Amino acid sequence: MAQLSVWPATLLADVLVTGAGTSMQAWMENRTFQGKGSTTSGAGAATIIVEGSNDDVNWITLGTITLTLGTAETSDGFASDARWSYLRGRVSAISGTGAKVSLFMGF
């Protein structure tokens, strides 16, 4: 059986505060999104929004990743077949001592 390769792209890397990341052109379809995060001490929480746009100005929510954070890294994700010209990640909430999150896309 042949194996299919999945190429990763980083949409957000070790983000500590709320806000949107840089957009990237997204010519491909059939993507997966995975968010991960942790704290340096105690509990925390984070919400990562994955957004798509056809004009790189007006953004539509494709999915939401909600993470319960702790000192051990946690992750969650989803898949999308929708084709958009641009994609970006946006941290809408983050809390906890030393909390940080990242977002990856596979295509």
Side-chain angles (χ1 to χ4, degrees):
M1 176 192 286
Q3 292 185 344
L4 300 176
S5 295
V6 175
W7 298 96
T10 301
L11 297 176
L12 299 170
D14 294 332
V15 174
L16 307 172
V17 297
T18 59
T22 303
S23 66
M24 68 173 287
Q25 288 191 296
W27 48 266
M28 71 299 289
E29 57 186 321
N30 299 321
R31 294 171 298 263
T32 57
F33 299 93
Q34 181 179 11
K36 70 174 187 172
S38 64
T39 65
T40 56
S41 176
T47 303
I48 303 170
I49 310 295
V50 178
E51 297 176 318
S53 173
N54 284 323
D55 62 7
D56 203 22
V57 174
N58 300 291
W59 295 93
I60 306 294
T61 297
L62 303 180
T64 302
I65 300 171
T66 303
L67 299 173
T68 300
L69 304 177
T71 56
E73 193 169 83
T74 61
S75 71
D76 197 6
F78 66 93
S80 173
D81 292 336
R83 183 177 270 178
W84 293 90
S85 297
Y86 300 91
L87 292 170
R88 74 178 183 186
R90 178 171 57 86
V91 177
S92 64
I94 188 165
S95 65
T97 303
K100 66 180 180 178
V101 296
S102 297
L103 175 65
F104 306 97
M105 177 181 68
F107 56 96

